[in-house]
Amino acid sequence: GDSVTQMEGPVTLSEEAFLTINCTYTATGYPSLFWYVQYPGEGLQLLLKATKADDKGSNKGFEATYRKETTSFHLEKGSVQVSDSAVYFCALSDSAGGFKTIFGAGTRLFVKA
Amino acid sequence: NAGVMQNPRHLVRRRGQEARLRCSPMKGHSHVYWYRQLPEEGLKFMVYLQKENIIDESGMPKERFSAEFPKEGPSILRIQQVVRGDSAAYFCASSPNRTSGLRTDTQYFGPGTRLTVL
């Protein structure tokens, strides 16, 4: 079945450092790929998405490119801020799976001032 | 346009009691999904519903759990005879009606209901 694997956390960075959170997936169809962010005590917010190969999703300085050849969707940000501290979830939605969203385990990011 | 609404935000139950969690999807959305998040884990799919229909309940425990999405009113996730292992955050998500022409693969999440079983 479909699955998402993302790098384990926690990831601890200093402010203004470069961020990469790796995500790879397996899917039977042609999934859409997502990154969600969860701040402490809150629900999930959609951060960015990509719906087909080579698409780049971007939002709030975060980017991720849909790489079909490597089945990856790595999240990057050039300069993190303390306010980026949260848990980041990579996810996929596949029409073959009825559009239910399959989530990775999440990666907790701590950004120090 | 209000987002996905869930209530209550926090629910405390004693073992053996029933828990009822409510979810009102975004306006214009007719697809509802329920997910469970155990502490320090990702979200696990439970059930996918459309109005008056359960489309996919492959993630629902076979006993004590049920879900509905009636023609009128919110979607309800019901847990009977709760046990300590049911303590988790339960998230509801909704996506658009396919006849709207919008992609239905993006789901919009509510704030969640945090269930604590004593």
Side-chain angles (χ1 to χ4, degrees), chain B residues 32-45:
Chain B
V32 166
Y33 303 77
W34 285 95
Y35 296 84
R36 176 165 62 177
Q37 184 181 32
L38 295 172
E40 302 302 318
E41 293 188 14
L43 278 72
K44 303 294 185 190
F45 168 78

Side-chain angles (χ1 to χ4, degrees), chain A residues 30-32 34 36 38-46 49 51 89 93-94 97-106 108, chain B residues 9 33 35 37 40-45 48 55-56 58-59 89 91 95 98 103-112 114:
Chain A
Y30 299 94
S32 294
F34 306 85
Y36 285 88
Q38 185 178 33
Y39 298 102
E42 297 185 12
L44 273 71
Q45 299 176 25
L46 178 65
K49 64 182 279 190
T51 57
F89 292 95
S93 176
D94 188 349
F99 292 108
K100 66 189 178 194
T101 303
I102 307 296
F103 287 87
R108 186 177 295 277
Chain B
R9 294 291 307 275
Y33 303 77
Y35 296 84
Q37 184 181 32
E40 302 302 318
E41 293 188 14
L43 278 72
K44 303 294 185 190
F45 168 78
Y48 163 34
I55 306 302
D56 181 351
S58 58
F91 290 95
S95 65
R98 289 182 183 144
R103 288 188 69 95
T104 58
D105 53 3
T106 299
Q107 295 175 14
Y108 299 86
F109 282 79
R114 281 161 178 79

Side-chain angles (χ1 to χ4, degrees), chain B residues 75-92:
Chain B
S75 176
I76 305 288
L77 179 67
R78 183 179 175 210
I79 311 172
Q80 295 178 291
Q81 299 176 318
V82 295
V83 300
R84 289 220 173 104
D86 297 332
S87 295
Y90 292 83
F91 290 95
C92 169

Side-chain angles (χ1 to χ4, degrees), chain A residues 19-82:
Chain A
L19 169 71
T20 300
I21 301 178
N22 290 336
C23 171
T24 57
Y25 68 91
T26 58
T28 51
Y30 299 94
S32 294
L33 302 175
F34 306 85
W35 278 99
Y36 285 88
V37 58
Q38 185 178 33
Y39 298 102
E42 297 185 12
L44 273 71
Q45 299 176 25
L46 178 65
L47 182 60
L48 53 84
K49 64 182 279 190
T51 57
K52 61 183 187 297
D54 300 324
D55 268 3
K56 177 185 282 189
S58 61
N59 186 27
K60 299 180 182 178
F62 291 89
E63 293 183 340
T65 301
Y66 190 144
R67 301 284 187 204
K68 190 177 178 198
E69 63 277 12
T70 55
T71 62
S72 64
F73 193 54
H74 305 320
L75 182 68
E76 297 182 335
K77 186 175 185 183
S79 176
V80 293
Q81 306 300 313
V82 172

Side-chain angles (χ1 to χ4, degrees), chain B residues 11-21 64-65 78-84 86 115-118:
Chain B
L11 182 62
V12 179
R13 286 288 178 266
R14 297 191 180 280
R15 280 180 297 171
Q17 291 183 320
E18 178 180 286
R20 278 180 175 251
L21 288 63
R64 302 188 298 107
F65 285 72
R78 183 179 175 210
I79 311 172
Q80 295 178 291
Q81 299 176 318
V82 295
V83 300
R84 289 220 173 104
D86 297 332
L115 172 66
T116 301
V117 180
L118 302 177

